[in-house]
Amino acid sequence: QVQLVESGGGLVQAGGSLRLSCAASGRTISSYNMGWFRQAPGKEREFVADISWTGARTNYTDSVKGRFTISRDNAKNTVYLQMNSLKLEDTAVYYCNYLRGSTVQARFDYWGQGTQVTVSS
């Protein structure tokens, strides 16, 4: 079955950087667009970024454009999220998932444990 393991989160000061990783198993990522999502306390999970299965196309929610970069290594079955110029409002638990076709909807109901990102002032 599908397993997703997110890592790389932590506590960082505003303006700092983090690089998140998402190691997938159970199904190769090479046939899927992949996405990052986040959920802040008391809020719904929201889309952050996605990348096409070839890596040729990326897409970001407006609030992270120019600061975050999504990438993938299909050989390692891993997706990354480089986060620069972090802001307080980026504080959330970050998740990755396979995407449904060309949408930004998660393909599977399963979610990993996520990785906590906390940005301090």
Side-chain angles (χ1 to χ4, degrees):
Q1 66 276 21
V2 168
Q3 282 198 320
L4 298 160
V5 179
E6 299 91 351
S7 62
L11 174 63
V12 62
Q13 286 192 321
S17 299
L18 285 172
R19 188 191 194 210
L20 307 185
S21 298
C22 169
S25 61
R27 190 170 293 225
T28 178
I29 69 169
S30 61
S31 301
Y32 293 89
N33 294 352
M34 297 293 293
W36 282 96
F37 300 79
R38 67 186 179 186
Q39 187 168 20
K43 294 189 176 181
E44 299 274 325
R45 183 178 288 140
E46 66 172 356
F47 165 79
V48 175
D50 74 296
I51 184 167
S52 62
W53 64 277
T54 63
R57 181 196 59 76
T58 58
N59 178 47
Y60 301 90
T61 193
D62 286 347
S63 62
V64 308
K65 282 180 181 176
R67 301 188 297 120
F68 290 11
T69 303
I70 188 172
S71 60
R72 65 192 295 158
D73 185 336
N74 288 344
K76 294 183 178 180
N77 229 38
T78 301
V79 184
Y80 305 96
L81 187 67
Q82 177 67 43
M83 306 188 297
N84 299 329
S85 303
L86 282 161
K87 303 178 179 180
L88 296 178
E89 53 264 40
D90 295 319
T91 295
V93 179
Y94 284 71
Y95 304 87
C96 69
N97 213 323
Y98 300 75
L99 296 181
R100 187 179 300 275
S102 59
T103 74
V104 295
Q105 303 299 316
R107 173 66 179 84
F108 300 107
D109 291 334
Y110 165 84
W111 293 88
Q113 84 288 348
T115 186
Q116 175 71 50
V117 172
T118 303
V119 184
S120 65
S121 59

